[in-house]
Amino acid sequence: MTFDPCWLSGQRLPEVTIHASGALAQTIRAELRQTRRVRHDVEVALCTLGRLGETPLAAWVEQALPVDGLGDEGFVVVRRGNQLAVAAETGRGLLHGYFYLLRYFEWMTGDFTVVERPAFPVRMLAHWDDLDGSVERGYAGRSIFLRDGRVVQDLARVRAYARLLASVGLNAVVPNNVNVHAAETRLITDHLSDVARLAAVFREYGIAVHLAVNFAAPIELGDLDTADPLDPRVVRWWSAAAGRVYDAVPDLGGFVVKADSENRPGPAAYGRHHADGANLLARALAPYRGTVHWRCFVYDVQQDWRDRTADRARAAYDYFIPLDGLFDDNVVLQVKHGPLDFQAREAVSPLLGELQETPFALELQATQQYTGQQKDLCYLGPWWREILQFDTTGAGGPTVADRTEAVVAVANVGDDPNWTGHKLAQSNLYAYGRLAWDPAADPVSLLHEWAAATFAIDDRTRTELVEIMAGSWRTYERYTAPLGVGFMVTPGTHHGPSVNGSEYSASGTYHFADRYGVGVDRTVATGSGFTGQYPEPLAGRYENVCACPDELLLFFHHVPYDHVLQNGRTVLQHIYDTHFQGYDEVEAMLVRWKAIADRFDPASRDNITARLEGQLANAREWRDQVNTYFYRLSGVPDAAGRTIYR
Amino acid sequence: MTFDPCWLSGQRLPEVTIHASGALAQTIRAELRQTRRVRHDVEVALCTLGRLGETPLAAWVEQALPVDGLGDEGFVVVRRGNQLAVAAETGRGLLHGYFYLLRYFEWMTGDFTVVERPAFPVRMLAHWDDLDGSVERGYAGRSIFLRDGRVVQDLARVRAYARLLASVGLNAVVPNNVNVHAAETRLITDHLSDVARLAAVFREYGIAVHLAVNFAAPIELGDLDTADPLDPRVVRWWSAAAGRVYDAVPDLGGFVVKADSENRPGPAAYGRHHADGANLLARALAPYRGTVHWRCFVYDVQQDWRDRTADRARAAYDYFIPLDGLFDDNVVLQVKHGPLDFQAREAVSPLLGELQETPFALELQATQQYTGQQKDLCYLGPWWREILQFDTTGAGGPTVADRTEAVVAVANVGDDPNWTGHKLAQSNLYAYGRLAWDPAADPVSLLHEWAAATFAIDDRTRTELVEIMAGSWRTYERYTAPLGVGFMVTPGTHHGPSVNGSEYSASGTYHFADRYGVGVDRTVATGSGFTGQYPEPLAGRYENVCACPDELLLFFHHVPYDHVLQNGRTVLQHIYDTHFQGYDEVEAMLVRWKAIADRFDPASRDNITARLEGQLANAREWRDQVNTYFYRLSGVPDAAGRTIYR
């Protein structure tokens, strides 16, 4: 199978000397053999600290080192005149430095000193791949890891993928779905040698494999009739299982667990809480320094729509805050960015501010489940950066990035030749990796980096492409679900509009639109009380209908259609306006794209053109269905007299 | 596999003598060997005409014969004193007479003469079964005919099924789905010997097999690159195909075709019309006296919801009336009872009154696709009788039964032990057969017949059961879609409510509810003009919002919620009332059933109890979701103050 070399093709470097040893230094040497040489008057040295000898360069590097060191993955880059050094404490740091060099070399000018250390020690991509090769919520073909009931034999594409991840600074991967079904439960038994083969490939690039496991594995595998975390037989079972797994993969990152969530088994069946469950696995992994990523995506899957006091948004906080402090040190709680489910717009989860004792991971979603499914262009960099920089108190308190220990994203990659189905959706993979390293990175600059490394285009064309892409998340928000209204998407598929599709379901995702108004009252005063899960002054800001940010108004409040937003428009007119505007923006994207499309390779040109045309049709349905829906409810026409079908 | 002997178990007869010869007489002899004997002072003779000799009974039979004879399937029953004769011209007629005797013998008293002839020469059940064993819109397990890519080996259950059909007077069966996919296209090639095995079993019971065929079979089978009905190669292809089929099954009934409908291939691809397509096949079948059933279920599957002038209800008439007179004599146009799609309530198709030159079949649906899916009890006998007795002009003109040449129902049978999934849904199969023979039969009497033959229960229990069942169609209509509003059902599955599920789809099935009113304007004056497809005075009655029957008001008119119905209630209050009433009726059905459930065999008891409990939950969702939907739209509370969730 052929595939797109993605953003790692065509980069050029001058001659580089390496002063380092070990496996990752070998990887760098192999990388350098693949890199095209350019004649250049700069002499480049890659070295682990202390290996530069008594040169001036060594002194400059020494000066640049931060007092607390570079850590396991940091590196320093120093250029003076025609000499440039990349130095690190470890092979992993050096590999990151190598990719830094590859990424920026052609843009480097003059003398400079750069120190880079990742913001989070764990930067993970989680695949929702099953052994039969299918990918849950996958929009880019089938699994690159799994096929026909086993790990693929030919790991060439996996190796190319490991390179991609390393090149943007990621260091952890989960190859299998968090919904661990019967077949995948056997990844920790029958398939261990295959997992070891996968891990060996990722190890070359400094990336640790983690495995999603089934909490009920002792039962599923037929060994016990219980999975009770406090039963000594279960404790012994997991201890033995961990031993076998680490025999096969000594540097496995650990386990990822979705338990008592969306009908997956968990400790609740035995009257135990999540900490009991997580600690069971944590203690099995502790001898090997493995970590348990325990997901907090837990809610009542049988909510009664009739009960307006119930609120799925409350669930994760209500389940986990009482358990804060009860988890072992090697448990990481994995928290989705929002309290609902990876929406294009929702509030930031209060758990990310309020968990005090337990390390946690921020979970994002690169696969565009609710954000266009790689059919629609939706560059998520700005949204992720907004989440990472979110002020958890509303008063200059720590940001989400300050508080989180790890970042995870659900992967958007499959065996499509271009990796992501929509060529431009590669940018989400790229931006995720770079933001996971540096959560203050500018999303537009990241687009430039990605586009420059990906396409053989001139600067003006790249700037045009970046401008087409940069606002696409806000565009998507506009033509789908403005004001945080959420869940007007087709149930099940989660693509395309279905204005009332979830309104009477058990999913807990409602908008409560009626002839007078719309939105979910989550206030303490009159609603579900969800706003009370935030600290002050943030809680008060959300609670107050006049202070609540426009983009989250309907997430927190049920308001009449003539409620005037902070932007001066009524809620209804804003709904109309954004849907017209969103459609118009897609139309403009398509026009601008067509003007530059021929400057791209034919495969990219055809792929992007077809996707943008499909997006325009999708945006038209969203615009017309949502506008008609609210017109039928409100009876109020568009103030600008545009066509709303009756 | 075991299965319920259904309503053909336990019946008893006295000694019977047979004066007839031929294959069906053999069938009757075999039947009699299975019937339990009762001591009785009546001497019963079954005979073909002229075989009774010079007895008084023969004279009485002679007297009873109608002047135009009994025809191919009629029979006469004469009792005088202790002598009873069943006489017919043919073996088929005698078999019908035998089942008549079996059905009524224990209720017969005194002397009587009965002459029975079927109302329609063709009385068909159409299975939507595929070769892999799945059943499209099947709610009773998997196919009894097809499995694992071929016709089943063991035909014991097929034989039992042929008995069932014959016992209620049916005489034609289609074993395969009208949507003929690649595998099933080969039923007329690779599987012909298996089709012959099936036909042989049905032949024993006087039932003809018809086959659904793929209009594009010449292409699908790789023989030609066209299916153009006017291409001589295609003509020759079908002629040869028919020859092969009739070599294998000399008495095949003919072909059934769904063409240019819901993405099935047809003549339109070649610029030909339906008559071209139908006549192509009719001419291939003519040498063998075979018939083409050509379905009229044709409509635009890509309707734009924005266009309120388009109307799917118009489609069948608009396509077929201009072609009336162009079809060969052995074409039967197969017309669904309503212009939309087998709804619990919709108008009667105007084609059934307006086709003048072409014979047509009325198509009903025993499988409860839109009427509860054999999860909910919905006895359709009253609805079918209403359709059959529908006055096609509105002024004492011919009824649908008067005008139709054949009746077809989509079968509701699968390999569930009780045949129909819901035990009580057997009654729909039974009633369909009996109404196909006698469209004036009383649906409640049919229930008594069925229940008496099916359960070993006393008369009071039977009466109670019949009362529970008799009104269940109207109950289902009440809690789902009153006033002909239609299509608030979940798209795709067609079970359970989805108030706006089709409202913005391409399916052409809308209700256009907004804050002011609801319904589809199909008038000539201001709407789609569909009412104009009916003759006067019917057209005028439907056109006039004050004269239109309440139960079809929203099918024909868009009215404000405060429009007052002929029953004196507002539309909105009627919607609320019927949904509350429908739910209450299901609750009462369940209570009444539980009081008698223990008098039934355990399998029936448990099956029926579980289904009724599920129905109550379903009715609750319908009631609450529909009521809340209209309350949110209208803002008007229930006049009786019952709970409508906001």
Side-chain angles (χ1 to χ4, degrees), chain B residues 509-558:
Chain B
T509 50
Y510 315 117
H511 53 64
F512 298 123
D514 64 17
R515 77 194 317 254
Y516 304 114
V518 60
V520 185
D521 185 352
R522 295 194 158 103
T523 64
V524 170
T526 56
S528 74
F530 171 67
T531 58
Q533 294 186 346
Y534 293 93
E536 293 295 353
L538 195 54
R541 191 174 308 151
Y542 289 151
E543 178 82 5
N544 179 346
V545 71
C546 299
C548 183
D550 283 353
E551 71 256 23
L552 289 173
L553 185 72
L554 302 181
F555 189 89
F556 284 111
H557 296 276
H558 187 89

